[in-house]
Amino acid sequence: MPATCNVLVLISGSGSNLQALIDSTQTGADSSKSSPARICAVISNRADAYGLARAKQAGIATQVLDHKQYDGREAFDAALMHAIDSYDPQLVVLAGFMRILTPDFVRHYAGRLLNIHPSLLPKYKGLHTHQRALDAGDREHGCSVHFVSEELDGGPLVLQALVSVQADDSTTSLAQRVHAQEHVIYPLAVRWFAEGRLQLTPQGAMLDEQLLPASGYQTRTQP
């Protein structure tokens, strides 16, 4: 098993993906199945984010940096980088962190910054992805884990979960099924990175020294 990989998680809200990551990194009775990933800290830009309570309950260090207290995105991101680096993480994970990151921030963590997005990227970057999928009459929807680049919701794809769209789906029902898959694939991608299997190269994302396809590794749920 590789040495421990320190992971820092950035949040803005309830932290359901954070909880999935916490659950996946807790050491169980069978240590052979435990992940080398260790969440070293959780940082939020909102003091009322419920994810902070989740982290505290798991005994994980927390910190709040209120973006409203800084003069612009550059000043906030500079302070955020300083805070993150004080924990010396090998991987930074965005889990519902509702901030557009500056190019300096993205470059600073190049190759060790992951995000999850509720669509099958490159479709539906930005917000309201479930409604947009329904409006387009898509038969498949899903979620994507990707390395973060300077392009919003861009960067090489690592892993996608495909979810069938049902005829009677609402945005709520579709979102629930997509969220359930987020909680499966995000911990898996983090584990791959922690185990040294996943890396970003000039050619793209690689898993087990094999270049991943443009769509990333895909999993499909049953209808």
Side-chain angles (χ1 to χ4, degrees):
M1 181 66 71
T4 298
C5 173
N6 284 329
V7 179
L8 188 141
V9 183
L10 298 179
I11 65 169
S12 295
S14 68
S16 64
N17 270 307
L18 168 64
Q19 188 64 58
L21 292 167
I22 291 171
D23 293 344
S24 73
T25 56
Q26 289 178 333
T27 303
D30 185 355
S31 61
S32 67
K33 294 182 180 179
S34 63
S35 171
R38 171 186 171 271
I39 301 175
C40 59
V42 173
I43 299 178
S44 174
N45 65 312
R46 294 177 57 95
D48 61 351
Y50 181 66
L52 293 168
R54 296 180 189 269
K56 290 174 182 175
Q57 186 174 13
I60 297 169
T62 63
Q63 188 171 343
V64 176
L65 267 72
D66 184 350
H67 61 276
K68 298 178 204 174
Q69 302 300 315
Y70 294 86
D71 185 18
R73 285 199 298 137
E74 289 76 11
F76 173 73
D77 278 11
L80 183 59
M81 284 188 284
H82 180 76
I84 292 170
D85 290 348
S86 71
Y87 295 99
D88 194 27
Q90 283 78 56
L91 177 65
V92 178
V93 171
L94 307 177
F97 188 60
M98 303 303 290
R99 296 285 302 167
I100 295 176
L101 300 168
T102 58
D104 282 350
F105 185 98
V106 173
R107 286 193 292 266
H108 185 70
Y109 298 106
R112 54 194 184 107
L113 183 61
L114 289 177
N115 183 48
I116 191 160
H117 184 73
S119 79
L120 297 176
L121 291 172
K123 274 189 169 184
Y124 312 133
K125 298 178 180 182
L127 302 175
H128 310 301
T129 60
H130 311 304
Q131 186 63 59
R132 289 157 70 188
L134 290 175
D135 290 345
D138 290 351
R139 299 181 66 181
E140 286 188 321
H141 187 41
C143 48
S144 308
V145 178
H146 64 96
F147 281 104
V148 177
S149 70
E150 294 179 36
E151 178 188 356
L152 178 65
D153 295 326
L157 289 166
V158 173
L159 182 59
Q160 291 188 321
L162 281 63
V163 174
S164 296
V165 179
Q166 306 300 319
D168 59 350
D169 262 329
S170 65
T171 55
T172 299
S173 62
L174 185 56
Q176 287 174 341
R177 295 206 309 284
V178 171
H179 287 160
Q181 292 309 305
E182 290 180 21
H183 301 162
V184 174
I185 68 170
Y186 215 4
L188 179 57
V190 169
R191 178 170 186 149
W192 285 347
F193 187 95
E195 291 174 339
R197 298 175 57 194
L198 174 66
Q199 59 183 319
L200 181 62
T201 71
Q203 292 73 40
M206 297 189 75
L207 179 64
D208 296 332
E209 300 183 353
Q210 298 293 317
L211 189 65
L212 285 165
S215 58
Y217 186 94
Q218 291 190 329
T219 67
R220 187 184 302 274
T221 62
Q222 293 299 317

